[in-house]
Amino acid sequence: MIAEEEKLKRARDEFVAQWGALGTQWGINRTMAQIHALLMTAPQPLTTDDVMEELEISRGNAHTNLKELVAWGLIRPVVKKGERREFFEAEKDVWLIFTIVARERKRREIEPALAILSKCAGESEGIQTPEGKVFHDQMRALEDFVGFASKMSDRIASMKHGFAIQLATKLLG
Amino acid sequence: MIAEEEKLKRARDEFVAQWGALGTQWGINRTMAQIHALLMTAPQPLTTDDVMEELEISRGNAHTNLKELVAWGLIRPVVKKGERREFFEAEKDVWLIFTIVARERKRREIEPALAILSKCAGESEGIQTPEGKVFHDQMRALEDFVGFASKMSDRIASMKHGFAIQLATKLLG
DNA sequence: TCACAATTTCAGCAAATACTGAAAATTCAA
DNA sequence: TTGAATTTTCAGTATTTGCTGAAATTGTGA
C-alpha cells in the first residue's frame, strides 16, 4: 500500500523537523539535531550527500555537523566495501544515547561550574567579615551540591541499561 | 582589615562573571545568570539600580532579566517599608534552586520532546512496511525512555532536601 | 604520476538573540 | 489632581551564532 509509505515519510519528516527545533532548547544546534534525528530513523547508513539532499543544507554544514556528531559518539562512520564515500549510522540504543548526552552535558555544564565554585570557595576561605562568611558558605554549599550531582551523574551513566531502570523503578514504586 | 574586603570583592566579581559565562552553556542568557549570581551572594536585597551599576548594564536589560528570574522563582521582590523602590533577593537554598531549575528544564526540554515522540509514534502505528516498523519501534523506545525520565524528575524534585540526599547517598554507597 | 572523487576548511553572509536608551505607562505622596 | 519617582515597553542596534559556497586539501585507481 503506497499510502503507508507516504504516511511514514510524513511522520519521519515531522520528527526530523521538530527534533531539530528541540535541539535549540538543548543547547545543540538545529542542524546537528536534525541530522541526528534523520540517522536515528534511517533504515540504512547515509552519505553526506544524502543528508544534504534530505535536509536541504550545504555541504559544509552537513560535513561539520556530521563530524561533531561523530565526536560526541552519537553516530559512527561506516565503510562499505566497493564504496569510496563515507556512510554514517546512528547509535539507536536509547540508554546509550542517554549516557552519551549525559556525559557531554556533565563535561560542558557541571565540571566548569565545579571549577568556579572551588576556586571562589578557596579564595574566600578564612575571610572574617560577616559578608565574607556568607559568601564563602554559599560557595561551599553550591560546591558540595554540584559535586554531589556530578558523582551521581557518573554513577548512573556507568550503569547497565537494565540495572538503572530496575533501580529507578524501585525508587519510584 | 581592608585587604579582606578587597579579596572578597574580587572573588565575588569573579563568581558573577564566570557564572554568567556558564549561563550561556545552560541555555540561560548571560545577564540573567550574572544577576542571579549577584543576588545569591548579596548580603542584602538589591534594587534595579544597584544591579545596573554593579553589572554596568542598561535599565531595560536589568529590568527584563530581574522579571524573568522572578518568573522562574529564583528571586523574589521584597518590599521595604518607607521605600518606594522594589528590592530583590535570591533563594539561597541549593536544593530549592535545583528543584526550580529542574522543573523549568523539564518544562522546556522534556515535555516538548515527549509530545513529539507520542505524536510520531501514534502516526506510525500499524504501518506494515519494514521501515515503518523500525521507525515506530524507535519512536516508542524513545517515548518510553523520555517518559520515564520525566517521572523520575518529578519524583526527585518533589522530595525534601534531606531525603533526596540520603536516598542518593545510599544508592552511591 | 595524473585525473578525478571525496573531504575539509573558512571567509563572507544570514539569521537569531541580546542589549540599549528613551519614551510611555504606572504608582504614590501631597 | 498634579508631578515626581519608578517601572515597563519596545524600536533600533549590536553581538553572537550558524550557514553557504567555493577553494584547498586529501585519498584512490589507473
Side-chain angles (χ1 to χ4, degrees):
Chain A
M1 200 198 272
I2 284 301
E4 288 206 326
E5 285 175 24
E6 192 51 37
K7 219 163 111 184
L8 173 61
K9 175 153 180 39
R10 221 173 296 147
R12 192 157 164 238
D13 283 352
E14 173 162 17
F15 175 61
V16 170
Q18 301 274 30
W19 202 251
L22 254 185
T24 308
Q25 299 288 15
W26 285 70
I28 289 164
N29 82 45
R30 198 175 61 254
T31 304
M32 185 169 154
Q34 282 179 337
I35 295 177
H36 184 227
L38 188 67
L39 288 174
M40 263 202 307
T41 56
Q44 305 294 334
L46 303 182
T47 64
T48 303
D49 291 76
D50 293 334
V51 171
M52 287 168 61
E53 190 176 342
E54 192 73 40
L55 303 179
E56 301 181 27
I57 59 176
S58 73
R59 183 172 304 283
N61 192 12
H63 174 80
T64 305
N65 286 293
L66 280 165
K67 288 295 146 172
E68 188 69 9
L69 283 164
V70 170
W72 277 54
L74 287 171
I75 69 175
R76 50 186 159 262
V78 183
V79 288
K80 284 198 178 183
K81 55 183 173 182
E83 273 284 7
R84 197 158 146 188
R85 297 172 298 173
E86 215 170 13
F87 287 72
F88 298 93
E89 72 179 2
E91 174 55 59
K92 294 190 179 181
D93 180 296
V94 289
W95 178 251
L96 270 178
I97 293 170
F98 169 76
T99 59
I100 289 168
V101 173
R103 210 186 309 279
E104 188 68 19
R105 291 195 118 180
K106 173 169 176 279
R107 197 177 66 73
R108 302 201 303 174
E109 300 178 358
I110 296 186
E111 281 167 12
L114 208 47
I116 291 160
L117 294 168
S118 296
K119 185 154 188 287
C120 291
E123 285 172 359
S124 60
E125 180 99 59
I127 295 180
Q128 296 295 334
T129 61
E131 286 98 14
K133 284 184 180 166
V134 167
F135 179 80
H136 182 256
D137 288 350
Q138 184 69 11
M139 289 301 102
R140 279 278 180 251
L142 284 165
E143 187 191 8
D144 288 349
F145 187 82
V146 175
F148 181 76
S150 176
K151 276 203 204 100
M152 282 286 281
S153 159
D154 281 343
R155 279 298 188 99
I156 292 168
S158 68
M159 288 175 182
K160 286 276 174 293
H161 182 171
F163 181 62
I165 297 289
Q166 203 181 339
L167 181 65
T169 305
K170 208 181 294 174
L171 278 186
L172 295 179
Chain B
M1 198 198 275
I2 284 300
E4 289 205 324
E5 285 175 22
E6 193 51 36
K7 219 163 109 185
L8 174 61
K9 177 157 179 33
R10 221 172 296 147
R12 192 156 166 238
D13 283 353
E14 173 162 16
F15 175 62
V16 170
Q18 302 275 31
W19 201 251
L22 254 185
T24 307
Q25 298 289 15
W26 286 69
I28 289 164
N29 82 46
R30 200 174 61 252
T31 304
M32 186 170 153
Q34 283 179 336
I35 295 177
H36 184 227
L38 188 67
L39 288 174
M40 264 201 306
T41 57
Q44 305 293 335
L46 303 182
T47 64
T48 302
D49 290 78
D50 293 334
V51 171
M52 285 168 62
E53 190 175 343
E54 192 72 41
L55 303 180
E56 302 180 28
I57 59 176
S58 72
R59 181 172 305 283
N61 193 10
H63 174 79
T64 304
N65 285 293
L66 281 165
K67 289 294 147 173
E68 188 68 8
L69 283 164
V70 170
W72 278 53
L74 287 171
I75 68 175
R76 48 184 160 264
V78 183
V79 287
K80 283 199 178 184
K81 55 182 173 183
E83 274 285 6
R84 197 159 147 188
R85 297 173 297 174
E86 215 169 12
F87 286 72
F88 298 92
E89 72 178 4
E91 173 57 58
K92 294 190 178 179
D93 180 296
V94 289
W95 178 253
L96 269 177
I97 293 170
F98 169 76
T99 58
I100 289 168
V101 172
R103 211 186 309 279
E104 187 68 20
R105 290 195 117 181
K106 173 169 177 279
R107 198 177 65 74
R108 301 201 305 173
E109 300 178 358
I110 296 185
E111 282 167 12
L114 209 46
I116 291 160
L117 293 168
S118 295
K119 186 155 187 288
C120 292
E123 285 172 356
S124 59
E125 179 100 59
I127 294 181
Q128 297 294 335
T129 61
E131 287 97 15
K133 283 185 180 167
V134 167
F135 179 80
H136 181 257
D137 288 350
Q138 183 70 10
M139 291 299 102
R140 279 277 180 254
L142 283 166
E143 186 190 10
D144 288 349
F145 188 82
V146 175
F148 181 76
S150 175
K151 276 203 204 103
M152 282 285 282
S153 159
D154 281 344
R155 278 297 186 99
I156 292 168
S158 68
M159 289 176 183
K160 287 275 173 293
H161 182 169
F163 181 63
I165 296 289
Q166 203 179 339
L167 182 65
T169 305
K170 208 179 297 176
L171 278 186
L172 296 179

